[in-house]
Amino acid sequence: MATNAELTARREAATPRGVSVAYPVYAEKALNAELWDVEGNRFVDFAGGIAVLNVGHRHPKVIAAVKEQLDHFTHTAYQVAPYEGYVALAERLNALAPFKGPAKTVFFTTGAEATENAVKISRAHTGRSAVIAFTGAFHGRTMMTMAMTGKTLPYKRKFGPLPNEVFHVPFPNELHGVSVADSLRALEFLFRADVEPARVACIIIEPVQGEGGFYPAPKELLEALRAICDEHGIVLVADEVQTGFARTGKIFGIEHSGVEPDLVTVAKSLGGGFPISGVIGKAPIMDAADPGGIGGTYAGSPISCAAALAVLDVIAEEKLLDRANAIGERIKARVAKINTRNDTVPVTAIRGPGAMIGFDIVKSGGGYEPDAEATKRVTAEALKAGLILLSCGVYANVIRVLVPLTVSDAVLDEGLDKLETALAAAYQGA
């Protein structure tokens, strides 16, 4: 089998520069929260396939469901010859929808498809065109979702012009000097200066920002957005692509606020490693598009539907909502303890509902000066220690933890030991 270095050379020759990888480590096998590379090195996985593996790598129940489906058929295209798995999964998600009243669900393949189709559905329902999103948001890499994403680098550079009538409001973050009042004032200015509320189809927000830095949306903001949407007939979209399916200690992250959205976009951990996404919404809104207006050739793949039904079973049977909360408290307590040392890179703002944990790397304790270079050193040292760890944030200084919720306490503690080693080694390497 090829080595990591050999595969890197082949990758650089075969794939474009825009397809980047976090580490020059090539996976050979994985199980639950552990991964082995082609050279036999073992890693604790704190990335979870970027929030895809809440039930871990190769959960036996998911694999068994997929194998059973493979014995029947792999693909028909739901709009040609429908199948029970699609309907059964829609029924399960409708029952879990974080809003009152009848719900309906449509499936796609990727998170970007889900968020883009949420815009299409909102436009069909309202007869309006404008979209409001937030700075720091990530909604995808298609042209529409790239326009909605609130980070220019690396997502927008060289790819313009972007679709118009997409507007951004500052995301409230006290660390960055933006309050909820500031965000709502900016929205008021936007309504007066650029787009009147009667032209806005939807407002889309992540209950906890993902790429933007794992910052939870304040409850006061979500409540205010709900009131504004109700007043002006605007659709409120909760982007739960990264927060959904037990990661935050709830099925959906917005449930922490008590605010009911109109549409919910889902993907990532719904499929347990198999590609599937969807939009769950209030039935009258979901019915607004004409027949054939939403869907896709691989949308709601029968294999992925089988996997997703198993994922929902695992979440319930293994009590992963409670497990997420327990894991999160364990991680936050350990990081806080590490931060009492005087020989590790300083961190601040240890946060996150459930097991969606983030913390900021800063240049000195007690202050807030983002340190992107130290953050790079932390992730690099983590890999040397045998830990797969990701960063994010508008200043590239946030460490995010997305360990599978099925992780054992022993492997979780081992990963936290490796994280401490990385934070200390990054300090020494300054």
Side-chain angles (χ1 to χ4, degrees):
M1 183 175 289
T3 65
N4 287 316
E6 290 168 340
L7 286 169
T8 293
R10 287 169 55 190
R11 174 183 62 81
E12 291 175 349
T15 61
R17 186 177 63 152
V19 182
S20 62
V21 297
Y23 304 115
V25 169
Y26 292 78
E28 197 274 327
K29 64 178 181 179
L31 182 64
N32 199 355
E34 300 170 85
L35 183 147
W36 290 262
D37 72 6
V38 293
E39 296 174 2
N41 301 304
R42 173 183 168 274
F43 300 87
V44 176
D45 186 1
F46 270 21
I50 316 181
V52 167
L53 299 165
N54 288 356
V55 302
H57 292 275
R58 295 172 51 226
H59 192 286
K61 197 173 188 77
V62 174
I63 298 302
V66 168
K67 286 181 177 178
E68 182 179 355
Q69 179 59 46
L70 287 172
D71 286 336
H72 294 277
F73 59 93
T74 61
H75 177 71
T76 67
Y78 183 76
Q79 61 265 46
V80 175
Y83 35 89
E84 184 182 1
Y86 188 114
V87 177
L89 182 58
E91 290 172 334
R92 290 281 293 274
L93 293 179
N94 293 344
L96 294 170
F99 50 76
K100 300 180 184 71
K104 290 190 175 184
T105 296
V106 60
F107 295 114
F108 307 101
T109 310
T110 68
E113 284 182 274
T115 52
E116 182 149 334
N117 276 279
V119 172
K120 290 167 58 179
I121 294 165
S122 298
R123 286 177 167 177
H125 173 69
T126 62
R128 306 171 183 179
S129 54
V131 177
I132 295 174
F134 285 83
T135 59
F138 180 82
H139 298 296
R141 290 183 175 90
T142 63
M143 292 302 289
M144 186 66 194
T145 58
M146 186 167 50
M148 293 156 57
T149 290
K151 290 179 70 177
T152 56
L153 296 177
Y155 305 115
K156 298 184 180 184
R157 187 168 66 180
K158 300 184 179 181
F159 298 139
L162 302 177
N164 59 11
E165 291 206 294
V166 176
F167 304 91
H168 288 91
V169 172
F171 186 83
N173 186 334
E174 297 288 353
L175 290 171
H176 300 165
V178 181
S179 67
V180 171
D182 292 332
S183 296
L184 295 175
R185 192 176 304 112
L187 181 57
E188 181 184 345
F189 290 161
L190 182 66
F191 285 156
R192 289 209 301 260
D194 291 316
V195 58
E196 69 273 23
R199 211 169 84 235
V200 178
C202 65
I203 297 176
I204 185 168
I205 188 168
E206 299 161 281
V208 181
Q209 285 202 329
E211 295 295 320
F214 274 37
Y215 300 110
K219 180 180 179 180
E220 316 91 87
L221 175 68
L222 294 171
E223 290 174 338
L225 293 178
R226 179 69 275 173
I228 290 166
C229 288
D230 288 342
E231 179 183 358
H232 298 292
I234 299 169
V235 176
L236 181 60
V237 182
D239 183 347
E240 297 268 2
V241 167
Q242 191 157 168
T243 50
F245 304 105
R247 174 52 55 183
T248 70
K250 301 281 189 182
I251 291 293
F252 300 111
I254 201 165
E255 293 180 86
H256 288 279
S257 69
V259 171
E260 296 187 6
D262 299 306
L263 300 179
V264 180
T265 61
V266 296
K268 288 190 179 285
S269 276
L270 172 60
F274 292 84
I276 188 170
S277 67
V279 179
I280 310 163
K282 295 178 178 178
I285 300 176
M286 295 295 288
D287 281 336
D290 293 332
I294 51 178
T297 302
Y298 287 102
S301 155
I303 296 170
S304 296
C305 285
L309 286 165
V311 165
L312 295 177
D313 288 342
V314 171
I315 290 172
E317 293 167 5
E318 299 188 15
K319 297 180 173 57
L320 293 189
L321 302 184
D322 293 337
R323 180 61 176 160
N325 291 319
I327 288 171
E329 291 306 312
R330 198 180 191 108
I331 295 169
K332 287 186 281 190
R334 181 64 181 276
V335 175
K337 182 178 179 181
I338 294 170
N339 202 35
T340 63
R341 293 175 53 170
N342 60 9
D343 61 344
T344 59
V345 295
V347 310
T348 191
I350 305 165
R351 60 189 175 274
M356 193 168 179
I357 306 302
F359 55 90
D360 294 37
I361 305 293
V362 292
K363 292 189 175 180
S364 60
Y368 191 81
E369 187 177 356
D371 196 336
E373 289 304 314
T375 306
K376 289 180 182 178
R377 294 198 302 273
V378 170
T379 57
E381 293 294 342
L383 190 69
K384 292 178 186 177
L387 176 68
I388 298 175
L389 189 67
L390 296 177
S391 62
C392 62
V394 294
Y395 297 112
N397 73 312
V398 177
I399 296 296
R400 52 175 162 168
V401 180
L402 288 164
V403 63
L405 305 179
T406 49
V407 64
S408 68
D409 285 345
V411 172
L412 176 61
D413 287 341
E414 180 188 358
L416 291 171
D417 290 343
K418 294 176 186 296
L419 174 60
E420 183 167 3
T421 296
L423 290 166
Y427 178 83
Q428 297 298 326

